[in-house]
Amino acid sequence: MMLRLIISVLGTLAIAPYTVTAHRYGVDLSVATNEDTWQCLMKEKNTSYAIVRAYRSIGELDENAAQSIIAANSAGIRDLHAYIFPCVSSSSYSQKNGIECESPSEQLRSTIDYLEKNGITVLRQNSVEASGPVVRRLWLDVEDEDPSTYYDSDPAVNQKVLDEFATAAASEGVFLGIYTTMTYWTNIMGGVEGYSQYPLWYPRYDAEDSMDFFEPFAGWEDVLIKQTGGDVGFCGITQVDSDYMEAV
């Protein structure tokens, strides 16, 4: 992938509301990690939140995700998230490689089941407390190449996929967020509105600790998380991206 929510812990984790703080730094990644890696990220890069890939665009779970989330939690990171890169059966990549994707609701359910079978709680609305690692939000990755590779070339098809994910998430009671840019959203989703209730995670590789770059689109007025760099090579990890947050 160019391809985070605070929990207090004393044995049992009590779910706490977001708290306004100053700048916060995090990472997202799609490779296996261990506790030492996260301790390095905390010490060297002030990492306080993590977003880990849990489902891949090829229609498979990322089997490294649980290990990495558990390791991050063991190192002391409590602001944990996971992301899903949707598999779209009608995409050129799926067609070329004979991939028949699960439905969006099945992809979401598979992700939740995988995490929970590995002892990771996926936070739901009205949750009170949980023990062990807690994934606070599941992010949907809405990005693609040009021409379309991992999504359908028809925005109407992609809108249906997104709507099914949103409906499934509401049914499960889990929290969603969306990773995209104005350009991606226009090309992939046709600029459709109606999803701005989900927090926005926006890639902008300018290495700036600022959200001043952002121009509102499709109903979004602000950015929760900014991805500031790709494959930055922190602590010896190749596929790790840097992230920045202001509000929480």
Side-chain angles (χ1 to χ4, degrees):
M1 172 184 175
M2 275 180 54
L3 340 130
R4 278 163 248 288
L5 354 208
I6 296 173
I7 301 174
S8 61
V9 58
L10 282 173
T12 297
L13 299 180
I15 304 304
Y18 292 134
T19 302
V20 175
T21 67
H23 306 322
R24 295 182 59 209
Y25 302 97
V27 297
D28 64 271
L29 48 78
S30 56
V31 292
T33 58
N34 56 36
E35 186 175 342
D36 288 343
T37 300
W38 291 103
Q39 289 175 344
C40 173
L41 288 167
M42 293 169 69
K43 180 180 179 180
E44 301 295 333
K45 300 299 177 181
N46 295 319
T47 299
S48 65
Y49 57 93
I51 311 178
V52 178
R53 185 179 68 185
Y55 197 94
R56 307 174 63 187
S57 58
I58 59 175
E60 298 177 358
L61 291 163
D62 188 329
E63 299 292 346
N64 292 318
Q67 173 189 333
S68 289
I69 291 169
I70 292 168
N73 183 73
S74 296
I77 295 177
R78 300 290 178 259
D79 194 354
L80 303 167
H81 305 236
Y83 75 86
I84 296 170
F85 199 133
C87 181
V88 180
S89 293
S90 57
S91 71
S92 62
Y93 184 88
S94 294
Q95 293 289 305
K96 179 180 178 180
N97 292 279
I99 298 172
E100 186 60 39
C101 304
E102 297 178 306
S103 70
S105 61
E106 289 171 333
Q107 293 180 48
L108 186 75
R109 183 69 253 175
S110 293
T111 302
I112 294 170
D113 284 347
Y114 162 69
L115 294 172
E116 294 188 334
K117 285 177 181 177
N118 281 278
I120 299 166
T121 298
V122 178
L123 186 64
R124 288 172 167 79
Q125 297 179 33
N126 302 318
S127 292
V128 177
E129 61 181 29
S131 59
V134 178
V135 165
R136 299 295 303 264
R137 191 178 299 276
L138 297 174
W139 297 84
L140 297 179
D141 192 340
V142 181
E143 65 172 312
D144 206 350
E145 300 172 359
D146 187 16
S148 299
T149 300
Y150 300 106
Y151 280 89
D152 197 284
S153 59
D154 183 354
V157 174
N158 300 324
Q159 291 171 19
K160 185 174 185 298
V161 170
L162 183 61
D163 184 64
E164 289 181 18
F165 268 111
T167 299
S171 178
E172 293 283 351
V174 298
F175 297 90
L176 276 187
I178 295 176
Y179 172 98
T180 197
T181 67
M182 182 188 296
T183 300
Y184 287 148
W185 194 256
T186 300
N187 293 343
I188 299 168
M189 295 296 171
V192 65
E193 298 188 359
Y195 295 93
S196 59
Q197 68 270 37
Y198 303 114
L200 181 62
W201 174 19
Y202 198 110
R204 173 80 169 191
Y205 292 0
D206 57 10
E208 294 285 340
D209 294 345
S210 169
M211 302 297 191
D212 292 345
F213 74 95
F214 182 69
E215 297 181 9
F217 70 98
W220 278 294
E221 296 292 334
D222 51 36
V223 179
L224 178 61
I225 300 172
K226 174 185 178 183
Q227 189 181 65
T228 55
D231 294 340
V232 291
F234 291 166
C235 294
I237 316 170
T238 54
Q239 294 174 280
V240 59
D241 307 322
S242 58
D243 296 280
Y244 167 76
M245 186 189 298
E246 288 184 345
V248 298

